[in-house]
Structures are given as structure tokens and as C-alpha cells.
Amino acid sequence: MPVLTSNLDPRGSAYQENRQAMLERLTELESALRQARGGGGEKYVARHHARGKLLPRERIELLVDRDSPFLELCPVAAWGTDYPVGASVVTGIGVVEGIPCVIVANDPTVRGGAVNPFSLKKTQRAGQIARENRLPLINLVESGGADLPQQAEIFIPGGAAFRDLTRLSAAAIPTVAVVFGNATAGGAYVPGMSDYTIFVRDRAKVFLAGPPLVKMATGETVDDETLGGAAMHATRSGLADFVAEDERDALRLARGCIRNFRNFGPGRTYGPEPKFGADDLLGIPSADLRVPFDPREILARILDGSEFDEFKPAYGAALCTGWGAIHGHRVGVLANVRGVLFSAEAQKAAQFIQLANSSGTPLVFLQNTTGYMVGSEYEQGGIIKHGALMINAVANSRVPHLTINIGASYGAGNYGMCGRAFEPRFLFTWPNAKSAVMGPQQLAGVLSIVARQAAEAKGQVYDEEQDRTMRFMVEHKVEQESAALFLSGRLYDDGVIDPRDTRTVLGMCLALVGTGETAQFGVFRH
Ligand code: COA
């Protein structure tokens, strides 16, 4: 297979400036991640430890195989909102007994582990990943249930969490609940809906209503253990399959449950390292997204042996398509070369996606697009029709898609290049990347033109001073809302990653996704 070469000059000033800007974004990311890892803050963490309990990340570490990687998902959920960064729950994919599993761990140090709207979205996304990739789901439960002041936002949609849990079970995807503490009301249905349950002695408290509510409702006076302790559920109600002596014992028992799911193990594959170092990835994209860069420079640093068999290189050259492999998994790649997509690029993409479907090859989308070309020449040439063709191919493709936003993702280009709404199995973002309906200046400019025309139609004098203020404010707002951290906070991706980790992250995901189904009909030549 042809091997990519590189024209990068790591000593040049452009590279150095780009690298500096990327490192600044990475510092911001690290600060957000620190907030998430800090849970509810020192006071609540110390209190939790003083009770002899482990933090969610400590529980995960003891659950997964020693020295195995843990791919944390949506770690900065709720960033930039009124809710704590991380959304009181840790989710990710870890290897347990050699089997990749989705792990969901409540963080009891954050408002008692109570579930807010972002916790709900994050947990649901983890469940979706378990379903689509057929991965066992392990819930590490300790939660005060619904965040009560926010109940209006979560009570009704929250039912989906229980629906999805039992649907996993119906699809023969194993589910395990390990209960470390409180699981009241809705929380009680997590073990209730799981295939296997493990309760920690003298710690697990699983009931529809705690003692105070029972007293109010029925007048009965009862203690926690009698109402919902591990021993009671193991001997009387039958809700607990196993009683653990302590937290470590519970995690050992959970590993024992997973050991029975032998047929869930992935096939291991290996591939040669790229010929160029991953460190260079920091300096390839400019902080100014208008400065184009060649995605082949990226591919040379993430594909096995830097080998890339480009498809139709001379046609629709603003989109690079071709075949390669990552950690031994064969992939098709679609990567924007110069931001804009024209008709030829859209048609080439559709043909390439069909080819991948005919061979059951997963697709990797490297997004760096400002959208489809506008203007009368292109409208007359059928740009809507051709964009729709590409979007149709992406939407109906049956092979797994993985998307990385490495720069711009604007307008319908976000859709054609498999944005979040097109349900790629995983979507990660580089810290420099931005996404919005259009760029801030363009959006403010469009609003200004519309307002000016409205004023003219009414025969009014347009207020230029007010226009300048409006443009400034809109540009500032859209700029903020386009940033990677803002979008990740709203769960529009599965996490912001260090560009240097791209090959590792893609390799881990490819080990999980399988090949999907092959196409039902032949490839259309466009
Ligand atoms: N919604 C909103 N806030 C909650 C909450 C909930 N469901 N559960 C706990 N919190 C808050 C507490 O008010 C407290 O806030 P503060 O520190 O600012 O005062 C903080 O989380 C920690 O709670 P605390 O009770 O001190 O922690 P704990 O570890 O001793 O006990 C629980 C944790 C979950 C056992 C206990 O808080 C509790 O019983 N909560 C209510 C559970 C419930 O009935 N839920 C109904 C769900 S439908």
C-alpha cells in the first residue's frame, strides 16, 4: 500500500504558533477535567473516605483489569452550565476479565450522587454505546436518585433509563448492578432491571421509599436494614444475587459475573506504528480555522505504517477518501482538505460510503468543513441535490462510523461529515475544533443584513450604532457557543481529546464496533 510522506516543518514559525495555541486549549481542557475528577470537592470527598468508602474512579480502577486502558466518555458533561462539571456520574469503557464493558459509576460526593438532566443524558449515552456495540453494562450504584429541585426536568424523561436497561437484557447484552450505598425510589430499579446484582453488606440501601417517607405514608416505623439492606434483599426479597462483605469484595464478585460472558471478548489485532510521531499533531491545525491544512499530514500520524490507499484522488479533491488501517483494523477515511464541499466531493463521498458498505469496512470521518458551497453557479449545478445525496449515504450507511472533529464543522457539512445527529458510534473533538450553524462573523452579518432590509421596508433609518453593538454581541456569543468545551459540556460529543491520543482512541473504538452489516444493493457510480 502507498506510504504517506510529510511536508511538515516542525521548526517553522507557523507550526510553533499552532502548537502553542493547541497547548493553551489543552490547559483549559485539563482544568475542566480536574474539576470533574474533584467530584463534590474536598469536604465531601474527605467525608466519603472517612466513611470507609471508595470514590467512583477508585471503584472503576479496582474493577478493570490491571494496567488496561479506560476510555472515559463525556468527562466534562455539564461544563459551562449551573451543574457540576462531570454531572455527578463517571462513564466509560473498561476491560474487565479481558472483555470491554461500559461502566457507569455514580459519584456520591456530588449532591449525594443525585441525577440531574446532564447526568441523565450522560448515562443514556453510555447505555446507547452498550447497545450499539453489544458491550456488557456494569452500574456502580450509589445515588440519592433524582436531583429533587430539578425533578421537572428529569422525572418523565428519566424513565427511559430503566426502559433501556431492560432492553439491553432483552437483546442478550448482560447488565450487572453493584450497589454500594443508597439506591432509593427510581434508583432501586437499576438493580431491579439488571441481570446480576451484588449488594454490599450493611451499606446497600435499596427501597422504594426510605424510613421517613414510609412513616409518613403508612405510619410504620422501620430501620434502613429491615427496609432495604443487603441481608434482607439476599434472604427475603431475592433482589440481591450476591452479598459482598465490603466494596472490594463487591468488585471482585462483579469481575466473577463478567467472567461468564466469554463470547463478548473482542478479537485482538495489531498494526505497525505510523512512520511519523504523534507529537506533530499539536502543530498541524492553526488556531485560525480559516488556515487550511492537509489531512494527509494527520493520517500519516494515525494510520498503521502511514499507509494510505487514496480513492479517486483527482476527483473532488477538497475531500480526501481512501483506505488504511488503525491498530490492525481496516478503515475507510473521509477527510476534508479545503473546508468547502462541492458537488464532486459530495458525489465522491456517496460512492465511497457505498464501497465501504459493500465490504463491511468501518468509516472514519475527519471533519474540517465550512459546509457546502453556496452561490448561483453551485445552486444551478445542483449542490442541494448532491449534498442530500451525501447526507443520504451517511444516514443510511450500515457500517460503524467514527467521527473526529479536527477543526471546523459548520453548516450542513456537519451533517454530511457524520455529525452527532447522524449517530456515529463514537464522536470525539480536538480542543481547537469549533462547530455551529455558521461562523460568528457570517451569522452576525446575516442578522445585520436581515435587520437592515426590514428597516428599509418600513421606511426607517437603520441605526448603525445599534447594528455594531448587535454584531459584536452576537459574534461573541456564537464564538463561545462554538467552542469544543462548550459543546462537550452539552454532550454533543463523547469527549474532547488530546490530538496525540487520536490513534489510541480510534484503535480502542474500532476494537469495539465490529464491522456492521453489508449493503443491500450495488454501488452507484456518481
Ligand atoms: N436531590 C438533591 N439534592 C440531594 C439529593 C437529592 N435527591 N440527595 C442528596 N442531596 C444533597 C443534600 O441536600 C446535601 O446537600 P448539602 O451538602 O448542600 O446540604 C448533599 O446532597 C449531600 O447529602 P447528604 O445527605 O449530606 O449525604 P449523605 O451521603 O449523608 O446521604 C443520601 C446521601 C442520598 C442517602 C441522602 O442525601 C438522601 O437520603 N437523599 C434523598 C434520597 C431520596 O429520597 N431520593 C428520592 C429520589 S426519587
Side-chain angles (χ1 to χ4, degrees), residues 33-208:
L33 290 171
R34 245 197 324 275
Q35 277 184 58
R37 289 186 208 116
E42 276 173 34
K43 175 179 145 198
Y44 291 95
V45 167
R47 187 178 76 168
H48 191 70
H49 274 151
R51 290 171 170 170
K53 292 183 158 209
L54 297 167
L55 297 171
R57 285 183 174 77
E58 293 168 338
R59 288 172 180 162
I60 292 171
E61 200 161 337
L62 287 170
L63 176 67
V64 299
D65 295 351
R66 188 183 291 250
D67 295 333
S68 67
F70 178 67
L71 178 61
E72 189 165 343
L73 298 165
C74 310
V76 299
W79 186 92
T81 72
D82 292 339
Y83 297 101
V85 179
S88 74
V89 63
V90 182
T91 64
I93 297 168
V95 184
V96 180
E97 295 289 328
I99 298 171
C101 299
V102 172
I103 302 170
V104 174
N106 301 122
D107 189 342
T109 70
V110 185
R111 291 177 71 79
V115 174
N116 64 51
F118 288 90
S119 333
L120 189 63
K121 278 192 198 156
K122 185 165 165 176
T123 310
Q124 284 182 323
R125 173 65 187 145
Q128 184 186 13
I129 288 171
R131 189 182 70 244
E132 289 178 351
N133 301 289
R134 296 195 63 78
L135 304 174
L137 176 69
I138 305 172
N139 268 297
L140 305 182
V141 185
E142 181 164 17
S143 162
D147 190 327
L148 291 172
Q150 309 306 326
Q151 67 84 25
E153 302 295 322
I154 45 174
F155 166 56
I156 291 175
F162 312 120
R163 176 200 69 197
D164 292 347
L165 199 50
T166 192
R167 283 186 179 165
L168 284 181
S169 182
I173 299 170
T175 53
V176 179
V178 189
V179 186
F180 296 91
N182 201 265
T184 310
Y189 288 101
V190 174
M193 295 290 178
S194 294
D195 293 351
Y196 295 86
T197 61
I198 299 157
F199 288 25
V200 179
R201 190 183 298 286
D202 299 332
R203 296 295 178 121
K205 293 181 186 21
V206 184
F207 26 60
L208 291 185

Side-chain angles (χ1 to χ4, degrees), residues 230-303:
M232 185 288 283
H233 279 304
T235 56
R236 302 286 298 277
S237 79
L239 185 61
D241 300 329
F242 302 95
V243 176
E245 293 310 315
D246 57 24
E247 296 205 3
R248 285 176 167 74
D249 190 35
L251 295 162
R252 184 186 63 78
L253 288 167
R255 291 175 58 84
C257 290
I258 298 294
R259 212 172 293 138
N260 297 325
F261 311 147
R262 277 285 163 225
N263 58 338
F264 275 83
R268 279 180 199 275
T269 55
Y270 298 93
E273 287 296 306
K275 301 239 177 284
F276 305 93
D279 202 50
D280 297 343
L281 293 170
L282 294 180
I284 296 174
S286 166
D288 180 354
L289 293 182
R290 287 166 303 187
V291 179
F293 59 89
D294 188 345
R296 294 172 194 86
E297 295 284 2
I298 311 289
L299 295 173
R301 289 160 178 85
I302 59 176
L303 294 178

